[in-house]
Amino acid sequence: MKFRPLHDRVVVRRITAEEKTSGGIIIPDTAKEKPMEGEIVAAGPGARNEHGELVALDVKAGDRVLFGKWSGTEVKLDGEELLIMKESDIMGIIEGSAAQKKAA
């Protein structure tokens, strides 16, 4: 199944956090917080401004991003848990991600 987000929405795959602390303590699943870091899987074409012109998104597929703890709507597509959120829910792009290294 293919999924293409509309307008200024993006599909994000959460990046799982480390299961051990720096001291070597293993963190059980029940104590873990959901990660607030993810990778853009797909992005919509953009939103329209008050003049009806299309304003492109600042993020693209492959970008690593930070988003709010309660941002987005959780969905399951092809058996994979993903988030759909508006671009405005994204706090920023993490520099040095694989996609940005390829573009440089």
Side-chain angles (χ1 to χ4, degrees):
M1 171 174 64
K2 296 276 185 180
F3 182 81
R4 183 176 54 98
L6 299 176
H7 308 295
D8 62 339
R9 290 182 175 80
V10 296
V11 179
V12 178
R13 177 184 303 119
R14 286 186 194 268
I15 297 175
T16 55
E18 288 291 320
E19 296 186 10
K20 288 185 180 180
T21 64
S22 57
I25 298 171
I26 297 174
I27 303 169
D29 288 339
T30 55
K32 287 185 201 172
E33 288 191 21
K34 290 187 176 184
M36 296 184 303
E37 183 178 331
E39 178 182 356
I40 302 292
V41 176
R48 298 211 177 263
N49 64 16
E50 57 274 353
H51 303 293
E53 301 163 340
L54 189 66
V55 178
L57 301 180
D58 289 329
V59 296
K60 60 189 175 304
D63 284 348
R64 285 182 71 156
V65 295
L66 286 177
F67 49 87
K69 191 175 202 173
W70 307 108
S71 298
T73 302
E74 293 182 356
V75 295
K76 198 168 204 175
L77 297 173
D78 290 335
E80 184 177 14
E81 299 222 0
L82 301 168
L83 288 170
I84 298 175
M85 64 181 71
K86 289 189 168 251
E87 185 189 35
S88 59
D89 290 339
I90 296 172
M91 291 184 234
I93 298 170
I94 299 172
E95 297 294 326
S97 66
Q100 291 174 341
K101 288 179 184 175
K102 288 179 186 176

